[in-house]
Amino acid sequence: MTELHPKTPGSPAAVGSQDNASAQDERVLQGYGYRQELKRDMGFFSSFALSFSIISVTTGIFAVYGSGLNTAGPAFIWTWLVVGGGQLLVALVFATLAKQTPLSGYAYQWTRKLVGPKIGWWAGWLVIVQYMSGMPAVCYALANYLISFAGIPVTNRNLILTTAAILVSIAAINHFGIHLASRVNDFAVGAEILGTVVAGVVLLVIALVRKTNAAHFVFTHPGQPGGKAFLGALAFSSLMSIWTLTGFEGAANLAEETRAPQKHVPVAIVSSLLISVTLGFLVLVGFTLAIPSLTEAKQQPAPLLYIMQAHLPPFLITGVMLCVFLAIYASALANLTSLTRMVWAMARDFQLPQSQWLGQINARRVPANAIWTVTAIAIVFTCWAKVETVMTSISAQAGYITYAIVVGAATWGHAKRPIADEPQAVRIPKPLAAAALGWLLLVIAMLSLPQAGAGWMGAVAMLGTGTVGLVFFLRRQKETISAI
């Protein structure tokens, strides 16, 4: 049926419709025992863009492409699709949870409702560990690129100072509100797609026209013996994909700042992963087929830059690198936004030290105290770690353990604690949850191998700190739960 009186923007009918939608979002939030404190200013694209930026295929590919190439040769790029398929299982579980529990502090809230507050606390704490180590790693990677590009000596002092400056700048943007942060991120997503993906496509076309390498080149693994030894190298090379294809659930952490979150957030979670996998693989194929000399590429500290320099004019390379810098910066910005919402959500329930301070909202309706607190801690962590692989390793370990906790809760939690009274409660198919959990346990086992990371000491230290915090703060758990 054709609508006789369409609701044009700015008309009373449109304004009334928006007010009704906002009121509905607030009623849903009140149903979970919370009032609207944060500002709902994000639509679907901003929700999608946040998850897309946290994944940031540009950051992952530019940071560790050389490691995968050296480990298993050009054939390593196929691990991207394998990891993407496994992560899609997790994303489908998370999309269902985001639909039925649209709250900030996603992993903490989902797990708490499914299997109880203690496990929920651990899920939230591990998310904080994940972002608190992953965010400085992204800033550290950007600092490395920036000072190299500017011709400044790459010293520990320069790296740490540049990383700290980047952290302060993204904190300032977040301080001025979600509207500014989301607009900056929206613009950066466009730049990332325009720069990295277009570069990959151009290189793919050039490689095919010039016949730089035959099509079967992407299946080769020169220098690697066959059989089990190559399978081990291929599995290790998949760490690039494992480290990169995470964070798709970030949109759920801003559910209380997203309009119609039960509709938009689940789609943002799944679509951000699918588009990242598709575009990322296209970039990998393009760059790999365009390798002028595999021997030379393996010896380069920045193999992707070496490949571009062999085929593209300097002005185009400069444009691509500027887009890369902006994409990495947006990833850091989105990481900080998501991290502070988890800290704020747990502080709101009095689950962290100085909860009253961390749970405060400023005049712009953002958790400013949480923003500057985690920024200061991230700077201290950077000074301690000093190595990007240590930060990335801790982040990956904490992230995948969190995923396993949440999916495990989704697998068994319904039987123990039915949630039929929740709005739009949806039961997750047990085969899907079991398959996702099996995949996550495999990844955790791979990340536990000695060659997979140098960050176990830091991870154990943070888990130990979490244990102390859990014992101390859950003494008041009964009072806390009864108060919310």
Side-chain angles (χ1 to χ4, degrees):
M1 179 182 296
T2 303
E3 189 174 279
L4 298 178
H5 302 286
K7 297 176 180 142
T8 57
S11 69
V15 173
S17 177
Q18 293 171 4
D19 290 343
N20 290 337
S22 178
Q24 175 62 26
D25 290 339
E26 291 189 20
R27 282 195 295 271
V28 170
L29 186 58
Q30 290 171 1
Y32 291 96
Y34 299 106
R35 61 187 177 87
Q36 185 71 51
E37 296 183 75
L38 303 174
K39 186 177 182 180
R40 286 194 188 271
D41 198 39
M42 295 177 62
F44 169 72
F45 182 78
S46 293
S47 180
F48 157 81
L50 183 109
S51 284
F52 187 83
S53 286
I54 294 177
I55 297 172
S56 189
V57 295
T58 299
T59 304
I61 291 175
F62 271 77
V64 288
Y65 177 88
S67 176
L69 191 66
N70 278 284
T71 303
F76 93 95
I77 67 173
W78 296 98
T79 63
W80 184 267
L81 296 181
V82 175
V83 174
Q87 294 296 74
L88 179 59
L89 299 174
V90 181
L92 291 172
V93 174
F94 283 8
T96 305
L97 293 171
K99 183 179 179 65
Q100 65 187 29
T101 309
L103 299 175
S104 296
Y106 65 105
Y108 158 70
Q109 295 285 10
W110 297 345
T111 310
R112 184 170 72 96
K113 290 182 176 298
L114 289 170
V115 292
K118 291 183 179 179
I119 304 300
W121 190 94
W122 267 113
W125 170 254
L126 286 171
V127 169
I128 293 175
V129 172
Q130 175 192 2
Y131 280 104
M132 193 67 78
S133 51
M135 178 186 62
V138 174
C139 295
Y140 194 91
L142 177 57
N144 205 336
Y145 274 111
L146 283 175
I147 62 178
S148 299
F149 193 74
I152 300 172
V154 183
T155 63
N156 278 338
R157 179 176 178 274
N158 289 339
L159 281 170
I160 291 173
L161 288 176
T162 307
T163 301
I166 295 169
L167 285 165
V168 171
S169 70
I170 62 176
I173 292 174
N174 270 283
H175 180 90
F176 283 103
I178 190 62
H179 181 81
L180 176 61
S182 63
R183 293 303 174 271
V184 171
N185 191 57
D186 293 350
F187 174 77
V189 166
E192 177 173 8
I193 294 174
L194 178 64
T196 310
V197 176
V198 170
V201 171
V202 170
L203 288 172
L204 177 60
V205 172
I206 291 174
L208 293 175
V209 172
R210 295 179 180 177
K211 298 181 180 179
T212 307
N213 292 289
H216 65 79
F217 179 70
V218 295
F219 295 96
T220 60
H221 45 92
Q224 293 291 340
K228 294 182 180 179
F230 171 65
L231 290 177
L234 197 64
F236 179 59
S237 71
S238 68
L239 289 176
M240 181 197 75
S241 309
I242 289 172
W243 285 338
T244 303
L245 295 175
T246 61
F248 44 83
E249 77 286 355
N253 216 12
L254 275 77
E256 294 179 36
E257 294 162 271
T258 305
R259 296 186 293 272
Q262 292 172 298
K263 175 184 177 182
H264 292 150
V265 171
V267 179
I269 290 173
V270 177
S271 62
S272 63
L273 177 63
L274 288 175
I275 293 175
S276 294
V277 171
T278 303
L279 296 182
F281 186 68
L282 186 63
V283 171
L284 286 170
V285 172
F287 273 91
T288 304
L289 276 178
I291 294 176
S293 168
L294 183 58
T295 302
E296 286 290 326
K298 286 184 174 183
Q299 296 174 354
Q300 296 292 325
L304 297 185
L305 183 59
Y306 158 73
I307 295 168
M308 287 193 293
Q309 288 172 339
H311 298 285
L312 303 178
F315 78 90
L316 190 55
I317 295 174
T318 301
V320 171
M321 292 309 297
L322 289 175
C323 290
V324 169
F325 296 156
L326 186 55
I328 299 176
Y329 186 83
S331 179
L333 177 67
N335 271 271
L336 179 61
T337 304
S338 186
L339 166 61
T340 54
R341 272 49 177 185
M342 176 60 74
V343 171
W344 172 79
M346 293 186 70
R348 174 174 61 178
D349 288 352
F350 300 99
Q351 297 296 298
L352 294 175
Q354 299 298 318
S355 286
Q356 188 171 2
W357 162 263
L358 293 172
Q360 289 180 10
I361 300 295
N362 70 0
R364 297 178 183 273
R365 299 175 67 181
V366 295
N369 292 346
I371 289 171
W372 291 106
T373 300
V374 300
T375 300
I377 295 173
I379 292 173
V380 172
F381 177 71
T382 303
C383 295
W384 168 79
K386 295 183 181 179
V387 181
E388 182 185 345
T389 54
V390 173
M391 304 179 203
T392 305
S393 177
I394 295 174
S395 178
Q397 290 160 2
Y400 278 97
I401 292 172
T402 306
Y403 285 178
I405 290 174
V406 174
V407 174
T411 306
W412 293 292
H414 287 295
K416 296 179 180 179
R417 190 181 288 243
I419 51 174
D421 57 327
E422 298 284 357
Q424 299 192 27
V426 179
R427 292 188 179 276
I428 299 170
K430 290 299 176 67
L432 171 63
L437 183 59
W439 160 253
L440 292 171
L441 293 177
L442 174 63
V443 172
I444 291 170
M446 292 173 62
L447 291 172
S448 301
L449 297 175
Q451 67 268 33
W456 267 114
M457 290 183 63
V460 169
M462 289 194 177
L463 291 175
T465 305
T467 301
V468 173
L470 180 64
V471 171
F472 180 76
F473 290 103
L474 290 189
R475 289 179 179 178
R476 300 179 304 177
Q477 189 63 54
K478 291 183 180 180
E479 292 84 354
T480 301
I481 296 300
S482 62
I484 62 176

